[in-house]
Amino acid sequence: MRRSVSPFSLVLLGLGTFLLVLAPLLAWYVQPRAAVNPTDIDTTAVYTGRGSVFDLEKVETVPDQRITVTQRVRGDVRESERSGKAVWDVTTSVDTDRTLPAADPHDALSFTPHRWVLDRRTTEPVHCCGAKPRIQGEAYLKFPFDVRKRSYRWWDNTLGDTVVLRYRGTEKVLGHTGYRFTGSVPPTRTGTRLVPGSLVGLPEAGQVAAEEWYANHGVELIVDQRTGRVLYARTGPRQTLRAPGGGEDEVVLLDAERISFTEETQRAAVELAKDDGARLRLLGETVPLGAAVAGGLFAAAGAVLVARGRKVTERPDPLAPSA
């Protein structure tokens, strides 16, 4: 007597084995490769707040002005494909109500274009493809994927250096939970600017190379843990001029204790984080878990059926020679 194995039991066993192999493959190989920064990004973030700004027409600092910061990020797809990196062109403009809407971005109080090149998986800066300035640190515009509960070195483009942002717990943005990070910048000299000496307390000096100083009352970011996307941002920039070698601010160019994402920008960031996070969760958790469970059940059922088989009685061959 022998046992015969049914094709169905073999199919179950094969399918179960396939799903058990597929589960870790999705979680450990496919999902990490799906967590990449895009090359075709096109987003705009708008910050608003109130503060003091220097009026070029009045040649004086005007307090309590509504300030709008507009930051647009567009991907250079062709350069990204050539380099294998994410090449993002960034423009940042600072305006008051008087300069909005600006037909020419150079009408703004300040307009800063620059290029950021980053590794698509780690988000680390890459120095190629005409990237300027030489961005450093672990994060800028966004954090790496799978954000940890620790401090990060965040690039501050006005400072021209990194700022340490410390983890401060979790906080919700429009119902979506993110990690909160904060930091600040003490008064720091960032460069020089040619201005009339009278502007910095040197009326008889003609043109002087005034010192540019920058500080930040406080930086606060709330970041989506899975995608590293910034859901909410607040900054408090202070930019001033000092006489060469001077120890005190002579002119305030910009001073605002709180400029933050508009609600519209927050809503757009949350929606993008939810969409991207759902896709990564599907590949990294939902599908692998389902495949592992189904694979285990199918493999077990197939193995049981193979082991049990169907008993078949072997009959003697009438043509076989007798002993």
Side-chain angles (χ1 to χ4, degrees):
M1 181 177 293
R2 63 183 175 84
R3 296 178 183 272
S4 67
V5 179
S6 70
F8 178 67
S9 62
L10 293 176
V11 170
L12 273 182
L13 183 59
L15 179 59
T17 303
F18 170 75
L19 291 176
L20 288 173
V21 172
L22 179 64
L25 186 67
L26 287 171
W28 300 334
Y29 184 83
V30 176
Q31 192 270 352
R33 282 157 179 77
V36 294
N37 293 299
T39 60
D40 59 348
I41 188 172
D42 189 350
T43 63
T44 300
V46 180
Y47 303 66
T48 58
R50 303 195 73 85
S52 302
V53 297
F54 187 79
D55 190 313
L56 290 175
E57 293 182 357
K58 297 180 179 179
V59 195
E60 63 180 15
T61 301
V62 182
D64 196 28
Q65 299 293 296
R66 196 168 86 103
I67 299 169
T68 300
V69 178
T70 306
Q71 188 174 66
R72 185 169 187 182
V73 183
R74 300 186 68 179
D76 186 331
V77 177
R78 179 177 299 179
E79 189 66 25
S80 297
E81 291 176 347
R82 187 194 65 79
S83 65
K85 310 300 179 182
V87 181
W88 294 357
D89 290 317
V90 187
T91 58
T92 305
S93 62
V94 181
D95 291 275
T96 61
D97 289 343
R98 187 175 61 82
T99 60
L100 283 176
D104 181 350
H106 293 86
D107 291 340
L109 293 176
S110 69
F111 177 77
T112 308
H114 60 281
R115 169 167 285 194
W116 182 33
V117 183
L118 58 151
D119 185 282
R120 296 192 65 195
R121 291 194 176 92
T122 67
T123 314
E124 292 180 355
V126 180
H127 305 123
C128 75
C129 317
K132 289 183 179 180
R134 191 176 177 84
I135 292 173
Q136 306 290 337
E138 301 170 283
Y140 173 54
L141 303 182
K142 74 177 295 291
F143 277 61
F145 294 94
D146 193 22
V147 181
R148 303 299 184 181
K149 296 178 179 180
R150 63 171 180 84
S151 297
Y152 282 84
R153 291 180 297 114
W154 174 267
W155 175 260
D156 186 320
N157 203 55
T158 305
L159 178 64
D161 203 348
T162 58
V163 179
V164 176
L165 298 184
R166 291 176 170 80
Y167 173 73
R168 301 297 189 186
T170 62
E171 192 163 323
K172 289 189 176 182
V173 178
L174 301 179
H176 188 77
T177 301
Y179 286 1
R180 180 172 176 263
F181 296 87
T182 64
S184 60
V185 180
T188 305
R189 180 179 172 178
T190 57
T192 60
R193 180 185 302 190
L194 282 176
V195 299
S198 58
L199 198 62
V200 290
L202 301 173
E204 299 179 358
Q207 292 283 323
V208 299
E211 297 177 359
E212 295 180 305
W213 285 71
Y214 167 74
N216 201 303
H217 299 289
V219 178
E220 178 186 11
L221 303 176
I222 301 176
V223 183
D224 179 62
Q225 187 275 331
R226 189 179 296 273
T227 66
R229 185 178 293 278
V230 176
L231 308 174
Y232 171 83
R234 173 182 63 83
T235 184
R238 177 178 171 85
Q239 293 174 264
T240 60
L241 294 178
R242 297 183 183 182
E248 296 182 357
D249 296 332
E250 297 290 345
V251 178
V252 174
L253 302 176
L254 172 67
D255 188 14
E257 291 194 6
R258 186 183 185 90
I259 301 176
S260 58
F261 272 4
T262 63
E263 185 172 334
E264 182 179 356
T265 296
Q266 294 177 52
R267 186 177 297 109
V270 168
E271 289 303 316
L272 286 172
K274 285 182 177 179
D275 291 344
D276 293 345
R279 186 178 69 256
L280 295 177
R281 188 180 301 108
L282 184 68
L283 290 174
E285 297 177 10
T286 308
V287 175
L289 180 60
V293 172
L297 293 175
F298 289 160
V304 169
L305 291 176
V306 168
R308 292 177 60 183
R310 184 177 52 147
K311 294 182 179 180
V312 177
T313 302
E314 294 186 0
R315 296 183 178 182
D317 187 350
L319 299 180
S322 59

